[in-house]
Amino acid sequence: MTGRTEILEQVKSDLGPAERDYHFHALSDADAVFRFNVRALPSEIDPEAPMGISTLLAAWNAATYVAQIEDERLAKAMAHDQYLQATREVLLRHKGLWFNDELFVISRRPTLG
């Protein structure tokens, strides 16, 4: 994982002298860190009811995409259906699925003239 501060520093470095044309906004954790909730109906994550395959696959796809899991590792994990059971257990344990993420802002400085 790479935090927003490291990303901003790398962008500045990559821009070189052109960096002065941009403003890199320093956001506090309170403003920059947010939680993204993957929505599901309560009946879809009910421990007493069977969980639909579409809910399991949506959660699996979202989690592996956000985590940027390599295709080779995904193929290996998906060779058997144990990943569906593991996904179900995580959804039930945490009563859903969410991701914490960070926001950063880079804006172009106004030019004179």
Side-chain angles (χ1 to χ4, degrees), residues 44 51-59:
E44 292 177 312
M51 194 172 293
I53 191 74
S54 62
T55 300
L56 291 171
L57 289 175

Side-chain angles (χ1 to χ4, degrees), residues 40-93:
L41 295 172
S43 61
E44 292 177 312
I45 52 173
D46 179 355
E48 303 301 319
M51 194 172 293
I53 191 74
S54 62
T55 300
L56 291 171
L57 289 175
W60 171 261
N61 287 335
T64 58
Y65 179 78
V66 169
Q68 299 180 359
I69 306 297
E70 304 87 19
D71 287 342
E72 185 178 306
R73 287 180 59 204
L74 282 177
K76 195 175 194 179
M78 295 175 73
H80 307 285
D81 65 356
Q82 294 169 334
Y83 75 98
L84 292 173
Q85 183 59 32
T87 302
R88 182 180 191 283
E89 290 170 8
V90 168
L91 288 173
L92 291 175
R93 184 179 327 123

